[in-house]
Each structure stands twice: as structure tokens, then as C-alpha cells.
């Protein structure tokens, strides 16, 4: 049996057709989950005539000891947002100093990741916008759900999860975090996201930068010649 998609570009083109009701709207922003979601989201943003950016999630970690490893205290996001896990913080009874150190380290790591993929550019404001969050597929919906909470805090008015392929249970879970869930294919049984693509190469930071730049150039307003 052949995989349903040849590559992420084809998947993005198909996904864009399912999002045609959002085309041409000035309040729409497309955000990609790096790295695999970016080639898919590029095609979606192009078809919708919407700006393209990244939704980056960075865990806030605290190391307890060598036997327990790291504990996640919350999440940081780009566009800027923070979501703390109050239950974990209360259970650990961390000092303000320890929490501050964990936040500082998480912010440093987030900045490094974002600069590697989107150097010199600032994330656009999401205040009051309809945000289409794109990945190349989902099994349990974990990455998309983490992004959703942060994007709400960043000001998004409406959240749309958009994926070419997903497991039915994962899509059901997404419905509690997103206002709309758009998915082209829901194979049963669902094996894996890579198994749904004939070609599923790793997407590099350099490729992400290139696609974001291409999207920026395409969406930039064109100067009109002065009348003589």
C-alpha cells in the first residue's frame, strides 16, 4: 500500500484546499510547528494569502537529581507567552530564586532556537487574530495542544488546528483546545506520521529560514508606481 502523500509540499497543497474558507481574510495568521510543519504551512499560507511564522514551544525544566532527571515546570512560547504548571510548582515547593533560574535558562534556549530558524525577525502580534496552527501530522496531538495554550495567552482570538493526517483519538483530543480542527486524512489503523509520506526527510534550520523568507517576500505589499 502506497503512502497517501508523496511529500510535505503535496500534503500542504491538499490541506490548503480544506482551509479555503479562510482565504483572503486579513485577520488570519498561519503558524507552523517546527520543523516538519513548516513546508506544509508554507503551502497553506501561500494559498490563503496569509503571513507565515513559527509557533515554538520551550519546556521550562528543573533538574531534581540524577535519579529523577528533569521535571517540566511549564512552557514558554514564541510568539511570547508563558504557561506555568501550578500543581507541579506547589508539589515541588520551589523557591522564587530556583523558579527564576529555570525561567532564565528556558528563555535563553528559546531565543537560541528561534534565532536559528528565524534570524533577525520579530514574531507578529496575535492579538485578536485567527491563527491556523499547522503540523505535518499528529498521533496524540501533544505538540499542537501545548502550542494552543500558549497561543491563547499570546492573544489569539480563534485557533484552527490544521494537519494533513492524524489519528482519530488525537484529533478528538485537539477539539477541546481548538475552535476548529481540519484534517485531510484519518487512516485507521494509524501507524505513524512518517509512514504517511513516501518522502519524509528531516527539515533543517536552513530550510525553515528559506521558507519563512520566501513567505515574507510573497506577502510583502507591493509598491505602486506614482502617477505621472
Amino acid at each position: 500500500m502506497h503512502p497517501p502523500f508523496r511529500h510535505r509540499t503535496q500534503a500542504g497543497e491538499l490541506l490548503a484546499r480544506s482551509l479555503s474558507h479562510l482565504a483572503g481574510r486579513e485577520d488570519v495568521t498561519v503558524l507552523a510547528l517546527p520543523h516538519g510543519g513548516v513546508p506544509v504551512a508554507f503551502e497553506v499560507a501561500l494559498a490563503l494569502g496569509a503571513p507565515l511564522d513559527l509557533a515554538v514551544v520551550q519546556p521550562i525544566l528543573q533538574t531534581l537529581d540524577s535519579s529523577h532527571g528533569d521535571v517540566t515546570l511549564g512552557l514558554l512560547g514564541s510568539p511570547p507567552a508563558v504557561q506555568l504548571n501550578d500543581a507541579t510548582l506547589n508539589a515541588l515547593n520551589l523557591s522564587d530564586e530556583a523558579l527564576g533560574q529555570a525561567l532564565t535558562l528556558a528563555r535563553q534556549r528559546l531565543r537560541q532556537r528561534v534565532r536559528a530558524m528565524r534570524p533577525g525577525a520579530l514574531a507578529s502580534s496575535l492579538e485578536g487574530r485567527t491563527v491556523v496552527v499547522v503540523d505535518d501530522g499528529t498521533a496524540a496531538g501533544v505538540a499542537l495542544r501545548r502550542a494552543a495554550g500558549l497561543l491563547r495567552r499570546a492573544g489569539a482570538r480563534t485557533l484552527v488546528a490544521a494537519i494533513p493526517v492524524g489519528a482519530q483519538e488525537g484529533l478528538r483530543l485537539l477539539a477541546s483546545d481548538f475552535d476548529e480542527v481540519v484534517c485531510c486524512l484519518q487512516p485507521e489503523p494509524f501507524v505513524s506520521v512518517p509512514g504517511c509520506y513516501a518522502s519524509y526527510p528531516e527539515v533543517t534550520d536552513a530550510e525553515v529560514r528559506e521558507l519563512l523568507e520566501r513567505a515574507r517576500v510573497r506577502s510583502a505589499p507591493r509598491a505602486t508606481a506614482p502617477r505621472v
Side-chain angles (χ1 to χ4, degrees), residues 3 34 71 82 143 163 193 204:
V71 174
V82 59
I163 49 268
V193 173
T204 65

Side-chain angles (χ1 to χ4, degrees), residues 58-63 71-77 81-85 89 94-111 150:
Q58 175 64 44
I60 305 166
L61 301 176
Q62 174 70 27
T63 302
V71 174
T72 300
L73 306 180
L75 302 169
L76 287 178
V82 59
Q83 179 178 344
L84 296 176
N85 188 329
L89 291 173
L94 285 182
S95 66
D96 291 342
E97 181 182 4
L99 177 58
Q101 291 174 348
L103 282 166
T104 297
L105 182 57
R107 289 191 179 102
Q108 291 173 349
R109 290 174 174 170
L110 179 63
R111 282 195 296 268
L150 290 167

Side-chain angles (χ1 to χ4, degrees), residues 190-226:
F190 184 89
V191 179
S192 69
V193 173
C196 296
Y197 289 84
S199 175
Y200 193 77
E202 178 182 355
V203 180
T204 65
D205 287 346
E207 290 170 316
V208 170
R209 290 196 301 270
E210 178 189 356
L211 288 171
L212 289 179
E213 177 62 17
R214 286 171 59 189
R216 185 191 66 80
V217 170
R218 287 174 183 267
S219 63
R222 296 181 179 180
T224 56

Side-chain angles (χ1 to χ4, degrees), residues 37-71:
V38 179
V40 180
F42 176 82
E43 300 299 330
V44 170
L46 180 63
L48 300 186
L52 174 64
D53 210 329
L54 300 174
V56 186
V57 176
Q58 175 64 44
I60 305 166
L61 301 176
Q62 174 70 27
T63 302
L64 298 182
D65 52 53
S66 57
S67 59
H68 291 85
D70 292 333
V71 174

